[in-house]
Amino acid sequence: MNTRDCKVIIVGGGLVGSLCALFMTKRGFKTELYEYREDPRVTQFARGRSINLALSNRARKALQKVGIEKKILACGVPMKGRFIHNLNNKNKSLEFDPRTKQCTYSVSRNFLNEQLLEEVENHPNVQLHFNHKLINVDLENGHLTFLQMKTGKTIDVSGDLLIGADGAFSTVRRAIQQVPLFNFSQTYIDHGYIEMSIEPDIGKTIEANYIHIWPRKDFMMIALPNLDNSWTVTLFMSLDKFKELDSSTKVLNFFRRFFPDSVKLLGEKQLVEDFILTKPSPLVSIKCSSFHAGGNTLIIGDAAHAMVPFYGQGMNAGFEDCLLLDSLLESYNNNFPLVLRKFTEIRRDDAHAICDLAMYNYREMRDLVTRPSYLIRKKIDDLLFKLLPNTWIPLFNSVVLSEMSYTGCINNRKWQDKVLLHVIIGTVVLMSSIVIFSFYNCQRNND
Amino acid sequence: MNTRDCKVIIVGGGLVGSLCALFMTKRGFKTELYEYREDPRVTQFARGRSINLALSNRARKALQKVGIEKKILACGVPMKGRFIHNLNNKNKSLEFDPRTKQCTYSVSRNFLNEQLLEEVENHPNVQLHFNHKLINVDLENGHLTFLQMKTGKTIDVSGDLLIGADGAFSTVRRAIQQVPLFNFSQTYIDHGYIEMSIEPDIGKTIEANYIHIWPRKDFMMIALPNLDNSWTVTLFMSLDKFKELDSSTKVLNFFRRFFPDSVKLLGEKQLVEDFILTKPSPLVSIKCSSFHAGGNTLIIGDAAHAMVPFYGQGMNAGFEDCLLLDSLLESYNNNFPLVLRKFTEIRRDDAHAICDLAMYNYREMRDLVTRPSYLIRKKIDDLLFKLLPNTWIPLFNSVVLSEMSYTGCINNRKWQDKVLLHVIIGTVVLMSSIVIFSFYNCQRNND
């Protein structure tokens, strides 16, 4: 089929859906995007979503491919490392990559979404439909039925390729879930989060260009900077603990005890109000396989692999999906059934790997970063990375700042652990041998 | 609320749904049962379901409670152990419990379903609705919407307690899945199954009162007896292998090579026809948590914990759910919200445990049973069971023939493994000590 005759339907106009639409329309496909919510360029506030995100290497590569990387980065705040707020006031900054000073960028979700939609609309072969809720998926015939929220009417749509970028609670995936042999799991962790904010005039007094972390072992708070000097602060904690803090006094006492330096930044009144009025959002991890059904339906982004947010890779992985899809369409000459099969084949293990890594990183961020063992390992990793930049890439750097596959990142770390273990064992054996040798030598001399 | 004013809606009129209806109506609740399919007493054949099942201790206890155990067992075929068909023709029978000769019973699914529905209908406070497909669940208000398949009309139903016994692909569960914090996984194994049969005149020549197993390491065949001397034969094998056998010749060669003694039993022509015409059914394992939503909706049976069939516990666990629900309603005086919470609390780990055990038992049945290590362990277990019947209950016996909780069965086995390991270590140490002691003693004498 001629590229111009191919119709691609994308469900979901969030970050991944709109970037995917941009890729598809750039390939020359007739592209239709359907989104349940209002156009974010009309209504500014999307409830229950994180306000800013850490944009790192994988997302940058995808944005670069569609030619808007620079434009986006110009409106992001670079973060060169973690700034750790310890309880004993001995704060510590840890750069991600002391060698190259490589950064991730804190970007507003809404801004990014709007920019992507703007870019999409610059192309002639694309239609955007907001306020359209997907209510039925006919996988066999590639038909989708949408409810037009404003008129109450339903419309039927069909396409040669249907892409579900409709998030963690994807309706497209729910249809695929009925197909035999589709493996699926959704796992909620016991922890949830609430977001608070630091106003610009106070925010500008904070050590800029870092992601700030208050690790407290069983819970943690983080802050990401915004362009206007305000900061978005997120508290992650067990849902039980959230329930316990059911009065202003308890909340204030809790903050004074565990995040004393933050009380001034957040403002006593504001933090109590934010805390009491906000219901903590749950955190879910979703794994499935495969990512396609038949030869015409694919899920990408959170629909395919929602993860807990602790590696900041949700959007990055979703954007990498778009990049992979685009390159497969190129390699296999738009042969959709083959492309979808290959997509699942290549992406499945990586998606599961980043879900696991994200789960692991919560422990690292809220607990391990304060431990001497972590700090020593980071020093060793940084040194070896400096000496052998192509051979010894630390885990965080491989996940966030490189293009290594996520499974590759895990295997690479396992290999490093093994090497270090062998070095330690070797050293111990060598030292023991020297001691024993010296001892006998000394005895012989005495004799 | 008065018991007689309480209305219970049960979705699903399969084995677990109809037994549950019987329990509920016996408690005095107004009970309505809705089933998607035709009344099985009208149409005999339910596609894609196993034709007979192994009814064991847990199901018996539940049937006993509603007073129909004897009636059902009278129409089952007792099975006292496994009859292993080895490739070298050295067949072997292994009794489940050489001490008490306790049996499981091979029962026809349809017969059992019909009997349960008959019993339910003997009560005045019950309504059965067949050909009603659940199309919407309003968890908050306890409303269910059914499509009447024969008229095309929809009806709205509400109740004080909604019970989803609607199987592995439960619509009730799909609604609960949307509730935050609901954990869920569906895992298909790479293997599927097809059913074949042995006619009564040939079937009566087979060693009766056993479950017959042809373990072939990577796949296996089993046969369960029917009342009329026919046998239902099930071949479990990887879906890839099923695909490979795509011609009559290949099928026949496969059976001649791996199941030579079965070719005569199944009949060459019939087995090839059955094999070629049947699409293998997939095998899914479903775990979730919790089993209830709000204070009025519960899932039980396969809807809550579908498992692979290798421990023959799918129905048994489902019936045990009914028994537990009934006893909780009794203990907590029909306080539905409390009962549902307790149900999840008590049942969750056990449900996950039997799903895991069922997965493990595939390996035992198709591979381990042929290994000397398994046979030695079985001899040790049988001996200790004979000597210490209340202390040393082997795993299979605890799962299939006892009332021990499924998690208890796993912990019990772990404890046994530990004891045996300590005995082995102890023996080795003792023997070594004796050898060393004798050696030195001998040396001393020589000196």
Side-chain angles (χ1 to χ4, degrees), chain B residues 304-315:
Chain B
H305 45 64
M307 62 198 74
V308 292
F310 306 110
Y311 238 120
Q313 287 295 296
M315 171 187 62

Side-chain angles (χ1 to χ4, degrees), chain B residues 249-265:
Chain B
T249 321
K250 283 185 194 168
V251 172
L252 211 50
N253 285 341
F254 171 76
F255 271 84
R256 282 183 183 142
R257 180 167 167 208
F258 291 107
F259 308 111
D261 62 339
S262 80
V263 177
K264 224 186 236 168
L265 301 173

Side-chain angles (χ1 to χ4, degrees), chain A residues 169 173-174 176-189 239 282-284, chain B residues 169 173-174 176-189 239 282-284:
Chain A
F169 303 100
R173 188 191 62 229
R174 216 178 304 149
I176 300 183
Q177 206 180 310
Q178 311 310 313
V179 178
L181 305 183
F182 181 77
N183 289 335
F184 171 76
S185 75
Q186 68 181 40
T187 311
Y188 283 87
I189 63 172
L239 294 168
L283 292 163
V284 71
Chain B
F169 303 100
R173 188 189 62 229
R174 218 178 304 151
I176 301 182
Q177 206 179 309
Q178 310 311 313
V179 178
L181 305 183
F182 181 78
N183 289 334
F184 171 76
S185 75
Q186 67 180 40
T187 311
Y188 283 87
I189 62 171
L239 294 167
L283 292 163
V284 71

